[in-house]
Amino acid sequence: MRPAVPLASLALLALPLAFACARPAQGPPLTPDQEPSPLASAAPAPAASEGGPYSGHGAESIPPEILAKFRPGSVPAGLSQRVESLIDVRAPGIGRLSPDGKALYFEWSITGINQLWKLDGPRAFPHQLTGGEDSTSAVAMTPDGTWLVVQRDRKGEENPGLYLQPVAGGSLVPVQHVPKVQTLFEVVSPDSKYVYFTANDKKPDSYTIYRWNISAGVREVVFEQEGLWHVSDIRPDGRLLLRKETGSLSAEYSEYDPSKSELTPLFGQGEKDEYEALYGAKNGELIVLTNKAGEYRRLYSWTGPGQHTALGEEAKADVSWFDIDQKRTRILYVTNEGGYHRPHALDAHTFKPIALPKLPDADQVMFGPTTPDGRYTTLGIDDGRHPMQGYVIDWASGPKLQAWHAPSTPEVDTTKFARAGLDTYKAQDGTSIPIFVRKPEKCAADPCPVIVNFHGGPEGQALPGFNVAAQMFVDAGFVFVQPNVRGSDGYGKTWSHADDGPKRLAVITDIEDAAKWARTAFASNGKEPKVGVYGGSYGGYSVLMAMTMFAGDYDAGVDVVGISDLRTFLRNTAPYRRALRISEYGDPDADADALAKLSPMTYIDRVKAPLLIMQGASDPRVPAGESIQIHDSLEKKGVACDLTIFSDEGHGPQKRENRVYLLAKSIEFFKKYLLGS
């Protein structure tokens, strides 16, 4: 079985920036015959250099003197202390139960970085299982309950290693951890003999499938073919359900029988449609999540070409996640209803709905893993007023819901946090764009300045729910708003694909329109507010577009690991990501003109407002050269631009001290330029 997807979309809300979120849902439809933005037919953009002199990614690609020059500095002690107190408000991960239901294993960043912890019963005292400075997570447990399967990454390089750890704790047993190689967990065999994983150790843009014999400590190749291959599921007889990624969302599925070395294509071959699949309860059946047949993702029982049955109730909302337990008892899934995640359950044999226990009112509810016998499932609940709380469903007792672990909220009354409200703003072509809004009770200025926070992805989604980072800005006197511009996930496939490749030219003005709306929506006493822009990853790219192409609409910007030139980015991002990113942004050759028009560096001469840039040296996704090249260009033009490079981080800071610095520095920067303090 694949590991159940963690509550990634919600956990990221506690981080400085929501770089990427789990799949989203219902929202304003995009009219197919909309008039394109004037940008789509505008005269060619001003020429820019074909990308800067930098090449490669990772800390080794940056000269030591550059790392020394742009190392983190300091922020006022009072501001830093306030950020530190809020950053210590954190929730444990949902976690996974031992097969007997007596112990819970989960991630928690209470030491400053993600590590593994254990509870020996509901609300018992937690025991720390792993330590050190590297982010560590439990991705699976062997069905016999003997071993935890552990992933560990160094300095945010996203080249994790794979380990085993006895469930009682103790030393990690290395499976594979090789510099500059991704070793990614896939599945554990039902008999607990093998751990399957993929690695790009033979070719940087292809994954070979291996299995690790736990008792013998031996690695062997299971499947080797060019492409980005993964194992989605496994049958007791050893057959593997393989997924080959072909685009940012698209994939091809095949079944591989190792005993015959036989690969059988199933669906997705040559298509651009979205598919996720797991084995069903019946032999020859797959449970498939796809939006091929309609606007929204829906679950189907698939038994062969042209033989599929829709599952669950039809709704104008995406199914964002699903899983089926190892005994194939229950199908659990989550719908994304305008950004609010709602849980559902089906009998895996009859497909009839299964009643859930009564749940607390919440903005977000997500399932965690189910024990091998199908009896227990972990659950995470975010009510918007507290950090996510962990529960366990006992399906054999009602079903019954029991709280297992509680979040940490030292010296902070989180019930006073601002709740996110849903609003919309009009784009230039009349399309309604959903936007979540958090406001302070009182403003330090009249009117309150506004921070527009663009999410990462681009196939991400801003979500309501408990958000420590957002609250920091609200406490500092800012209205904090998070739009889901066209291209965001969760509002149907027309919306999510509206910005693919050159089509982005027609909708990029959603960034500009957010600022124009904010100046009107939050005006007071006849005065417009100042507006800042903030974002990470694709959100950082949105910041740079806001400050360059749409210079004048925003008064200050903070970019974290953002793309400054799509052409240099596509040349230098990690090889295993390049093909997937091309499917989203466009082909460097065929779409060269559009990539130039969509690159912030093209509009560098327009910038006048101050910019703060934060970057991780080890970032394999958006190389540090993206931040350095725009900083250097602005510095030469005399534009206020401050750059920080974290030498020990990758695609956004994970360590406590670096997260404190990023947030405190960002708030200090916005207070200076938007509040004048």
Side-chain angles (χ1 to χ4, degrees), residues 13 84 98 113 196 202 307 340-341 374 396 440 496 521 598 614 652:
L13 294 178
E84 286 176 358
S98 58
I113 194 75
Y196 288 78
K202 297 192 175 184
Q307 302 175 47
Y340 298 85
H341 287 84
S496 66
L598 287 164
M614 302 278 189

Side-chain angles (χ1 to χ4, degrees), residues 179-503:
K180 299 183 181 180
V181 169
Q182 286 198 315
T183 301
L184 305 173
F185 168 75
E186 300 293 333
V187 296
V188 178
S189 62
D191 59 10
S192 299
K193 290 182 179 179
Y194 301 102
V195 173
Y196 288 78
F197 64 93
T198 53
N200 60 343
D201 50 353
K202 297 192 175 184
K203 196 174 180 186
D205 60 353
S206 284
Y207 293 127
T208 299
I209 298 174
Y210 297 95
R211 73 177 185 182
W212 177 262
N213 186 312
I214 295 176
S215 62
V218 175
R219 183 191 80 167
E220 62 179 306
V221 173
V222 174
F223 179 82
E224 185 176 1
Q225 192 177 107
E226 191 149 320
L228 300 173
W229 292 89
H230 295 280
V231 181
S232 288
D233 208 347
I234 183 171
R235 286 289 194 190
D237 62 7
R239 285 177 292 158
L240 302 174
L241 181 61
L242 301 188
R243 171 186 173 92
K244 181 183 179 183
E245 296 179 347
T246 57
S248 59
L249 295 173
S250 59
E252 301 173 353
Y253 274 84
S254 304
E255 185 175 65
Y256 181 65
D257 187 341
S259 66
K260 302 176 183 177
S261 298
E262 184 175 275
L263 182 70
T264 304
L266 299 175
F267 48 80
Q269 282 70 24
E271 300 179 18
K272 297 298 181 184
D273 295 292
E274 300 176 33
Y275 292 104
E276 293 183 26
L278 295 172
Y279 283 123
K282 308 175 188 70
N283 192 32
E285 179 191 47
L286 297 177
I287 305 302
V288 180
L289 176 62
T290 182
N291 57 10
K292 182 176 182 177
E295 182 66 22
Y296 299 96
R297 297 184 186 96
R298 192 172 181 185
L299 285 172
Y300 296 85
S301 167
W302 183 94
T303 53
Q307 302 175 47
H308 55 271
T309 303
L311 307 181
E313 294 184 4
E314 184 175 8
K316 290 185 177 180
D318 279 321
V319 173
S320 59
W321 175 91
F322 81 102
D323 197 16
I324 183 169
D325 57 88
Q326 188 170 307
K327 280 191 69 176
R328 317 290 163 175
T329 306
R330 255 171 253 100
I331 299 168
L332 305 178
Y333 68 99
V334 176
T335 52
N336 186 329
E337 301 171 15
Y340 298 85
H341 287 84
R342 302 292 179 242
H344 308 268
L346 298 174
D347 185 289
H349 294 269
T350 66
F351 306 131
K352 292 181 179 180
I354 296 175
L356 293 167
K358 182 174 175 55
L359 303 176
D361 291 335
D363 289 345
Q364 310 291 344
V365 180
M366 285 291 287
F367 293 109
T370 298
T371 52
D373 63 0
R375 177 168 178 176
Y376 301 102
T377 299
T378 52
L379 190 77
I381 297 179
D382 174 355
D383 64 5
R385 293 291 193 191
H386 305 85
M388 185 196 71
Q389 299 182 66
Y391 295 82
V392 169
I393 298 176
D394 182 349
W395 298 99
S397 301
K400 178 184 176 184
L401 186 70
Q402 184 172 31
W404 263 71
H405 62 51
S408 172
T409 59
E411 301 184 24
V412 177
D413 181 3
T414 62
T415 62
K416 296 180 179 179
F417 276 27
R419 295 289 298 274
L422 179 60
D423 205 340
T424 61
Y425 67 91
K426 290 291 185 182
Q428 294 176 18
D429 58 9
T431 301
S432 292
I433 310 296
I435 186 165
F436 289 104
V437 179
R438 293 175 174 85
K439 295 186 290 188
E441 291 185 6
K442 295 181 180 180
C443 295
D446 188 13
C448 279
V450 181
I451 305 295
V452 182
N453 173 216
F454 290 100
H455 64 69
E459 319 90 337
Q461 183 188 22
L463 301 174
F466 188 81
N467 189 324
V468 170
Q471 187 63 33
M472 291 184 194
F473 287 96
V474 171
D475 285 350
F478 301 104
V479 176
F480 194 80
V481 301
Q482 297 177 289
N484 282 314
V485 298
R486 282 171 284 190
S488 302
D489 204 358
Y491 300 91
K493 66 182 178 185
T494 304
W495 190 274
S496 66
H497 291 294
D499 67 343
D500 290 356
K503 290 194 295 182

